[in-house]
Amino acid sequence: MSTLDERGLRVPGAVIELARTLQDAGFPTWCVGGAVRDALLGRALLDFDLATAATPAQVRRLFRRTIPVGIEFGTVGVLDRDGRMHEVTTFRHDVKTDGRHAVVEFGASLDEDLARRDFTINAIAFDPIARRLHDPFRGREDLLAGVVRAVGVAEERMREDRLRALRAIRFASRFGFEIERETWVAIEASAAHLTRLSPERVKQEIDKTLEQVDAPSVAFARWRDAGAFAAVVPALAQVPDGTLAAIDRLPRAVTPTRPLRRTLRLATLFSSLEGKEATRALRALRASNQEISVVGALVDGWQRFGTALEAHLVAGSLPSDPALRRIAADVGRLRVNALLRLGAAHWAGDTRIAPRLVRQLFRRLTHIAFHDPIEIADLAIDGDDLRQHGLRAGPALGRVLQHLRHLVIEDPSRNQREILLALAGEWIARGDAAPTSGAERASGHE
C-alpha cells in the first residue's frame, strides 16, 4: 500500500471482540506493535497485540480464560473463543533498566507507552473499533521513506535495551530500509555493550535474521561494521564479504518444516572458519548439540574439501571417483547434499565456474554417496566374520574393518566376502592390526 492508509488495515474479528470488551468497560485499547507495522506495509500479518489502560487484574476480571504470561510487565494472555491466545498489555513506562530488563510502572498514557518503544515504525497504534491510527512519532512517514529511526533520543533507546541495536539492523535488512544517521551512530556506540546480552538472545537474533531476511548479507555486514560481531561472536569479527554474499544465495526457511534451510545458512555464515573454531563459537552461543554437530561437520568438510573441489571446477573437470568417495565417506552420505549446496552458494559468485559443471558434481557425488560402499556397514563382511576367522573382539577388529573400508573406497570391486577376508588376513599377518598402546596390549585384544 503506497499510501499506508489505515482503511486497508484488516484486524481479525477475535481481536476486535477483545478490544470492544475492554473499551465497553471504559478502558481505551489499541492494537500496537509489529502487526500494525506489517499491516501498513501490506505484508503477511503477525498476531495482533493489544495495549490497554486496564491493569492486569482488571483484564483478568473481564475475561474468563486468561494466562499470566508476564504479569510483572503488565502482560496477560487472553484466550479467544477458539482457544487462541492474544497478549494484552497495560499502558506502562520504564522506571529503570539494566540495559536489557526494565522495571515498569502502570498508569501511563498511550503516548507514554508508545514513547518507551524502540523505533518509530513500531510505535504506531491502531484503534480497531474507531478504525483510526495514532502516530505521535511519525512512524508512518518513516515507513513511507524506508527508514528505521529510534523513538526520541537514539542513544537513550539503545542504553535502555542493548538488544535494540541488533533489532534495528534486522528490521532495516528485512524491509530493505536505511538506518537513520543518529540511530546508526547509537548502534555503533552500543556495540561494545552488547556483551550484556545473553548468548541465547544473540543466537536468537542471528536465527531470526537467517529466517526473516531474504538477503542476510546486508544485516551481517552491518553487524560486522558496527562492531557487533567483535563483541558477541569474535570469530566473525572479520567475516569476508564473499562469505556473507553466499548466504544470500540460499533460500530462507519460510516455514517450520524446512529447518535445514536455516542450519545451512548458519553453516555458510561460519564457513570461513575452521571447523573447530565454528564449533567453539556455536557452543559459546548455546546452540543445540544437534546444530553444533551439523554445522561443525559442514564447516569442517568445506574447509577440508572446498578448495580442492573449486580447483577442479575452475579447471573444468570433476575429481576422480575415488576422491569423491573419500569426500562422501568423510562427510557422511546424509550430509553430502548440504555440503554441495554450501559449496554451490560460494561458487555461484565465481565466473570461472560453469553452473553446468556444478550440476554434474551434484549428480555424481550424490550418486556415489548413496550407491557406492563408503561406510563400514556397507562392507560385504562384518565383525562376526572376522571373529570366525580368529580375530578377537576389541580395537584391533575395528582397525581391520577401517582398513578394509579404505581399500573398498579406493576400489569398490574389492567389496566381496572372499576378497575382503583375504585382504584382512594379509593385513593381520603383516602385524598391522597389532595393538598400538600398552593398555591395549595389556587387555589381551589382538
Side-chain angles (χ1 to χ4, degrees):
M1 300 168 55
S2 59
T3 61
L4 304 183
D5 192 337
E6 64 267 30
R7 288 175 297 181
L9 202 154
R10 298 286 180 260
V11 178
V15 175
I16 294 176
E17 186 176 333
L18 297 182
R20 192 182 302 279
T21 298
L22 286 160
Q23 290 197 18
D24 287 349
F27 302 112
T29 300
W30 299 75
C31 294
V32 294
V36 176
R37 176 200 67 220
D38 288 357
L40 288 171
L41 288 172
R43 291 173 174 260
L45 301 186
L46 302 171
D47 293 334
F48 276 87
D49 295 330
L50 292 173
T52 181
T55 66
Q58 291 167 330
V59 172
R60 298 186 77 178
R61 283 196 295 269
L62 278 173
F63 298 99
R64 185 169 60 87
R65 295 190 299 168
T66 63
I67 301 172
V69 296
I71 292 293
E72 67 274 25
F73 300 111
T75 301
V76 176
V78 178
L79 301 178
D80 63 26
R81 63 182 62 186
D82 296 322
R84 186 170 183 175
M85 190 185 79
H86 306 271
E87 290 190 358
V88 179
T89 303
T90 304
F91 295 154
R92 55 196 176 163
H93 61 87
D94 295 345
V95 176
K96 62 179 180 179
T97 176
D98 62 2
R100 182 65 192 101
H101 304 98
V103 176
V104 300
E105 191 173 81
F106 305 141
S109 66
L110 172 61
D111 281 359
E112 288 175 314
D113 185 84
L114 295 176
R116 68 177 295 277
R117 296 176 183 269
D118 48 11
F119 310 112
T120 61
I121 61 175
N122 295 332
I124 307 171
F126 177 68
D127 183 336
I129 308 302
R131 298 200 58 76
R132 62 189 177 94
L133 284 174
H134 185 62
D135 184 16
F137 301 101
R138 302 165 74 174
R140 185 161 47 168
E141 291 182 18
D142 284 338
L143 284 176
L144 279 167
V147 172
V148 172
R149 183 193 313 271
V151 171
V153 180
E155 185 179 355
E156 293 178 2
R157 298 292 82 75
M158 300 302 159
R159 190 184 309 120
E160 290 165 354
D161 185 352
R162 296 300 179 184
L163 186 64
R164 286 172 173 168
L166 303 183
R167 283 167 54 84
I169 292 172
R170 172 162 54 88
F171 289 139
S173 304
R174 178 184 173 193
F175 300 129
F177 285 8
E178 295 298 321
I179 298 177
E180 181 264 336
R181 174 63 182 168
E182 182 183 335
T183 303
W184 176 252
V185 170
I187 290 170
E188 290 182 309
S190 188
H193 303 282
L194 293 178
T195 52
R196 304 198 62 153
L197 301 177
S198 70
E200 292 85 355
R201 291 301 304 209
V202 174
K203 174 61 164 54
Q204 186 179 60
E205 197 59 36
I206 291 173
D207 288 343
K208 286 183 176 180
T209 299
L210 294 171
E211 291 168 352
Q212 297 177 4
V213 180
D214 288 327
S217 65
V218 175
F220 291 131
R222 284 169 167 157
W223 279 51
R224 180 194 62 199
D225 298 344
F229 272 141
V232 295
V233 194
L236 296 177
Q238 301 299 326
V239 60
D241 287 338
T243 297
L244 298 181
I247 306 173
D248 295 351
R249 301 182 185 112
L250 294 164
R252 64 185 178 91
V254 293
T255 65
T257 60
R258 309 298 289 271
L260 181 60
R261 288 188 172 185
R262 177 173 58 79
T263 302
L264 189 54
R265 278 184 153 197
L266 183 65
T268 306
L269 174 62
F270 283 90
S271 62
S272 64
L273 308 179
E274 297 295 327
K276 289 182 179 179
E277 190 178 13
T279 296
R280 284 195 298 269
L282 287 168
R283 192 168 286 121
L285 287 170
R286 309 290 194 271
S288 69
N289 289 336
Q290 180 182 10
E291 195 167 51
I292 291 171
S293 175
V294 173
V295 172
L298 289 176
V299 172
D300 183 68
W302 173 246
Q303 287 298 326
R304 293 178 64 189
F305 304 114
T307 300
L309 287 172
E310 181 178 309
H312 275 280
L313 294 172
V314 170
S317 65
L318 297 182
S320 66
D321 282 0
L324 292 177
R325 280 192 291 270
R326 286 192 291 271
I327 293 173
D330 192 279
V331 175
R333 57 169 46 109
L334 296 181
R335 290 176 179 162
V336 160
N337 184 269
L339 178 66
L340 288 173
R341 289 171 64 192
L342 189 158
H346 279 278
W347 299 325
D350 192 334
T351 57
R352 301 170 301 166
I353 296 176
R356 168 190 55 79
L357 202 59
V358 176
R359 291 193 294 271
Q360 289 177 7
L361 176 62
F362 259 91
R363 289 193 294 268
R364 188 62 195 147
L365 185 50
T366 302
H367 179 86
I368 283 174
F370 286 94
H371 292 87
D372 286 9
I374 60 172
E375 298 179 353
I376 287 178
D378 300 330
L379 296 177
I381 64 172
D382 56 21
D384 289 338
D385 294 309
L386 293 176
R387 284 191 291 271
Q388 290 173 11
H389 280 70
L391 186 64
R392 295 180 184 178
L397 188 147
R399 283 196 297 274
V400 172
L401 288 172
Q402 284 290 1
H403 171 67
L404 296 176
R405 170 175 170 263
H406 291 314
L407 293 176
V408 167
I409 286 172
E410 295 302 317
D411 182 359
S413 69
R414 292 169 173 160
N415 195 28
Q416 301 178 47
R417 176 182 168 80
E418 295 305 321
I419 292 177
L420 293 181
L421 288 174
L423 290 170
E426 293 173 5
W427 204 57
I428 294 168
R430 291 198 305 268
D432 294 328
T436 58
S437 68
E440 204 175 309
R441 286 191 292 272
S443 72
H445 289 141
E446 299 178 352

